[in-house]
PDB file of all heavy atoms in Angstrom:
ATOM      1  N   GLY A1660     114.395  96.788 125.784  1.00  0.00           N
ATOM      2  CA  GLY A1660     114.454  97.263 127.165  1.00  0.00           C
ATOM      3  C   GLY A1660     113.777  98.599 127.373  1.00  0.00           C
ATOM      4  O   GLY A1660     114.032  99.271 128.377  1.00  0.00           O
ATOM      5  N   THR A1661     112.899  99.002 126.449  1.00  0.00           N
ATOM      6  CA  THR A1661     112.207 100.284 126.590  1.00  0.00           C
ATOM      7  C   THR A1661     110.780 100.128 127.102  1.00  0.00           C
ATOM      8  O   THR A1661     110.095 101.128 127.323  1.00  0.00           O
ATOM      9  CB  THR A1661     112.208 101.055 125.256  1.00  0.00           C
ATOM     10  OG1 THR A1661     111.665 100.220 124.218  1.00  0.00           O
ATOM     11  CG2 THR A1661     113.616 101.483 124.876  1.00  0.00           C
ATOM     12  N   ALA A1662     110.296  98.885 127.255  1.00  0.00           N
ATOM     13  CA  ALA A1662     109.008  98.676 127.919  1.00  0.00           C
ATOM     14  C   ALA A1662     109.173  98.996 129.406  1.00  0.00           C
ATOM     15  O   ALA A1662     110.240  98.785 129.988  1.00  0.00           O
ATOM     16  CB  ALA A1662     108.542  97.233 127.734  1.00  0.00           C
ATOM     17  N   VAL A1663     108.116  99.501 130.034  1.00  0.00           N
ATOM     18  CA  VAL A1663     108.176  99.896 131.441  1.00  0.00           C
ATOM     19  C   VAL A1663     107.623  98.779 132.311  1.00  0.00           C
ATOM     20  O   VAL A1663     106.479  98.349 132.131  1.00  0.00           O
ATOM     21  CB  VAL A1663     107.398 101.206 131.670  1.00  0.00           C
ATOM     22  CG1 VAL A1663     107.346 101.553 133.159  1.00  0.00           C
ATOM     23  CG2 VAL A1663     108.059 102.341 130.891  1.00  0.00           C
ATOM     24  N   MET A1664     108.440  98.320 133.273  1.00  0.00           N
ATOM     25  CA  MET A1664     108.085  97.197 134.120  1.00  0.00           C
ATOM     26  C   MET A1664     107.829  97.639 135.559  1.00  0.00           C
ATOM     27  O   MET A1664     108.355  98.662 136.017  1.00  0.00           O
ATOM     28  CB  MET A1664     109.203  96.147 134.100  1.00  0.00           C
ATOM     29  CG  MET A1664     109.711  95.775 132.712  1.00  0.00           C
ATOM     30  SD  MET A1664     108.438  95.135 131.592  1.00  0.00           S
ATOM     31  CE  MET A1664     108.184  93.520 132.310  1.00  0.00           C
ATOM     32  N   TYR A1668     114.050  94.534 135.103  1.00  0.00           N
ATOM     33  CA  TYR A1668     114.277  93.535 134.058  1.00  0.00           C
ATOM     34  C   TYR A1668     115.136  92.410 134.633  1.00  0.00           C
ATOM     35  O   TYR A1668     116.084  92.664 135.397  1.00  0.00           O
ATOM     36  CB  TYR A1668     114.994  94.156 132.863  1.00  0.00           C
ATOM     37  CG  TYR A1668     114.089  94.853 131.878  1.00  0.00           C
ATOM     38  CD1 TYR A1668     113.602  96.140 132.140  1.00  0.00           C
ATOM     39  CD2 TYR A1668     113.721  94.239 130.698  1.00  0.00           C
ATOM     40  CE1 TYR A1668     112.767  96.791 131.233  1.00  0.00           C
ATOM     41  CE2 TYR A1668     112.894  94.877 129.779  1.00  0.00           C
ATOM     42  CZ  TYR A1668     112.420  96.145 130.052  1.00  0.00           C
ATOM     43  OH  TYR A1668     111.597  96.772 129.160  1.00  0.00           O
ATOM     44  N   TRP A1674     117.072  98.340 136.282  1.00  0.00           N
ATOM     45  CA  TRP A1674     116.434  99.004 135.146  1.00  0.00           C
ATOM     46  C   TRP A1674     114.996  98.523 134.991  1.00  0.00           C
ATOM     47  O   TRP A1674     114.728  97.334 134.929  1.00  0.00           O
ATOM     48  CB  TRP A1674     117.200  98.734 133.856  1.00  0.00           C
ATOM     49  CG  TRP A1674     116.549  99.329 132.637  1.00  0.00           C
ATOM     50  CD1 TRP A1674     115.930  98.674 131.624  1.00  0.00           C
ATOM     51  CD2 TRP A1674     116.454 100.726 132.315  1.00  0.00           C
ATOM     52  NE1 TRP A1674     115.456  99.546 130.682  1.00  0.00           N
ATOM     53  CE2 TRP A1674     115.760 100.819 131.090  1.00  0.00           C
ATOM     54  CE3 TRP A1674     116.880 101.899 132.940  1.00  0.00           C
ATOM     55  CZ2 TRP A1674     115.491 102.049 130.480  1.00  0.00           C
ATOM     56  CZ3 TRP A1674     116.607 103.128 132.331  1.00  0.00           C
ATOM     57  CH2 TRP A1674     115.927 103.192 131.113  1.00  0.00           C
ATOM     58  N   ARG A1675     114.066  99.476 134.899  1.00  0.00           N
ATOM     59  CA  ARG A1675     112.651  99.146 134.717  1.00  0.00           C
ATOM     60  C   ARG A1675     112.040  99.843 133.504  1.00  0.00           C
ATOM     61  O   ARG A1675     110.836  99.715 133.264  1.00  0.00           O
ATOM     62  CB  ARG A1675     111.861  99.536 135.975  1.00  0.00           C
ATOM     63  CG  ARG A1675     112.331  98.806 137.216  1.00  0.00           C
ATOM     64  CD  ARG A1675     111.512  99.167 138.446  1.00  0.00           C
ATOM     65  NE  ARG A1675     112.034  98.470 139.624  1.00  0.00           N
ATOM     66  CZ  ARG A1675     111.471  98.500 140.825  1.00  0.00           C
ATOM     67  NH1 ARG A1675     110.356  99.211 141.007  1.00  0.00           N
ATOM     68  NH2 ARG A1675     112.000  97.833 141.829  1.00  0.00           N
ATOM     69  N   GLY A1676     112.848 100.582 132.752  1.00  0.00           N
ATOM     70  CA  GLY A1676     112.339 101.334 131.623  1.00  0.00           C
ATOM     71  C   GLY A1676     111.871 102.716 132.041  1.00  0.00           C
ATOM     72  O   GLY A1676     111.591 102.966 133.214  1.00  0.00           O
ATOM     73  N   GLU A1677     111.795 103.618 131.052  1.00  0.00           N
ATOM     74  CA  GLU A1677     111.363 104.993 131.310  1.00  0.00           C
ATOM     75  C   GLU A1677     110.027 105.248 130.618  1.00  0.00           C
ATOM     76  O   GLU A1677     109.919 105.084 129.402  1.00  0.00           O
ATOM     77  CB  GLU A1677     112.378 105.994 130.760  1.00  0.00           C
ATOM     78  CG  GLU A1677     113.695 106.036 131.493  1.00  0.00           C
ATOM     79  CD  GLU A1677     114.613 107.090 130.906  1.00  0.00           C
ATOM     80  OE1 GLU A1677     115.022 106.935 129.735  1.00  0.00           O
ATOM     81  OE2 GLU A1677     114.906 108.075 131.599  1.00  0.00           O
ATOM     82  N   PRO A1678     109.001 105.657 131.360  1.00  0.00           N
ATOM     83  CA  PRO A1678     107.715 105.941 130.717  1.00  0.00           C
ATOM     84  C   PRO A1678     107.790 107.193 129.859  1.00  0.00           C
ATOM     85  O   PRO A1678     108.544 108.125 130.158  1.00  0.00           O
ATOM     86  CB  PRO A1678     106.771 106.150 131.909  1.00  0.00           C
ATOM     87  CG  PRO A1678     107.659 106.616 133.015  1.00  0.00           C
ATOM     88  CD  PRO A1678     108.974 105.903 132.814  1.00  0.00           C
TER      89      PRO A1678
END
Side-chain angles (χ1 to χ4, degrees):
T1661 54
V1663 175
M1664 312 302 287
Y1668 276 79
W1674 177 250
R1675 299 182 182 185
E1677 290 182 295

